[in-house]
Amino acid sequence: MSSTESRSPERWQRASEIVGVFLLSVVAVLTAWCGFQASKWGGEMSIAFSQASSARIQAAGADGAARSARAFDLTIYAAYVEAVGDGNDDLADYIRDRFTPEFRVAYDAWVDDGQVENGPFAREEYVPEGTVEAQELNDRADEKFAEALENNQRGDNYSLLTVLFALVLFLTAMSQRELAPWVGRTLLGLAMVVAVVGVVILTTFPIRI
């Protein structure tokens, strides 16, 4: 056997060790990065869930205010109808002057259109105070809830990638054991392939600093 042929296994062993150390170092950093990102997205998820909960509570408060405003308008309108029915024009005018702005818009539109609907409350112009705010806050709560679910999925994706990189570490470490040369080469090659796939997937993930 020539000296060149005898050195060939040694050269492969040396190259394998260098590649293995490099791969272990890079993947260890990538694994730590994935863990960091998973933690950051988990925090973003918690913040979004809190914002969704806060918006939902505020929406409930605004909806309660809208219900109270509607009840007030109903009471005033009932008194107005009673005054009109009794022929007490002075009292009817007095009560009408105290209609809330939101109800007055609907009442005037109802009268101008010939009072076709059962009452001004059926008009689309009637929007009690707090109705718009409640809808906006509910929409914000839905948006933040969806954002929280998306952030949770992003954190899960990074966690899954951590498992993939752990597989690379395992395959690389096994390739450095005293195994048949072809086995070591196969394991190291497989580790490199999995590492490349993991890096490609990693580049598609959003980053949170």
Side-chain angles (χ1 to χ4, degrees), residues 65-171:
R67 292 176 183 274
S68 297
R70 180 181 291 273
F72 177 80
D73 289 334
L74 281 169
T75 301
I76 294 298
Y77 183 64
Y80 170 76
V81 171
E82 184 178 355
V84 172
D86 292 341
N88 193 340
D89 295 337
D90 292 338
L91 179 59
D93 292 340
Y94 176 83
I95 294 175
R96 186 172 58 248
D97 291 340
R98 279 148 184 79
F99 285 168
T100 61
E102 294 80 11
F103 181 70
R104 177 174 293 279
V105 171
Y107 176 80
D108 291 342
W110 179 61
V111 172
D112 292 340
D113 286 345
Q115 303 179 2
V116 177
E117 295 87 357
N118 292 330
F121 295 97
R123 299 285 303 190
E124 63 179 10
E125 290 87 354
Y126 180 60
V127 182
E129 183 180 2
T131 302
V132 175
E133 292 81 357
Q135 184 60 49
E136 291 176 349
L137 288 168
N138 274 317
D139 291 342
R140 174 175 171 77
D142 292 339
E143 178 184 346
K144 286 299 178 180
F145 186 79
E147 181 181 330
L149 293 179
E150 184 177 0
N151 291 337
N152 179 59
Q153 184 59 55
R154 289 171 176 171
D156 289 345
N157 291 340
Y158 273 106
S159 297
L160 289 174
L161 203 55
T162 300
V163 176
L164 186 65
F165 285 134
L167 177 61
V168 175
L169 295 175
F170 171 76
L171 293 173

Side-chain angles (χ1 to χ4, degrees), residues 14-25 172 176 188 192:
R14 181 62 177 169
S16 175
E17 291 177 355
I18 294 175
V19 172
V21 171
F22 175 78
L23 196 58
L24 287 172
S25 301
T172 304
Q176 304 303 308
L188 185 58
M192 294 175 66

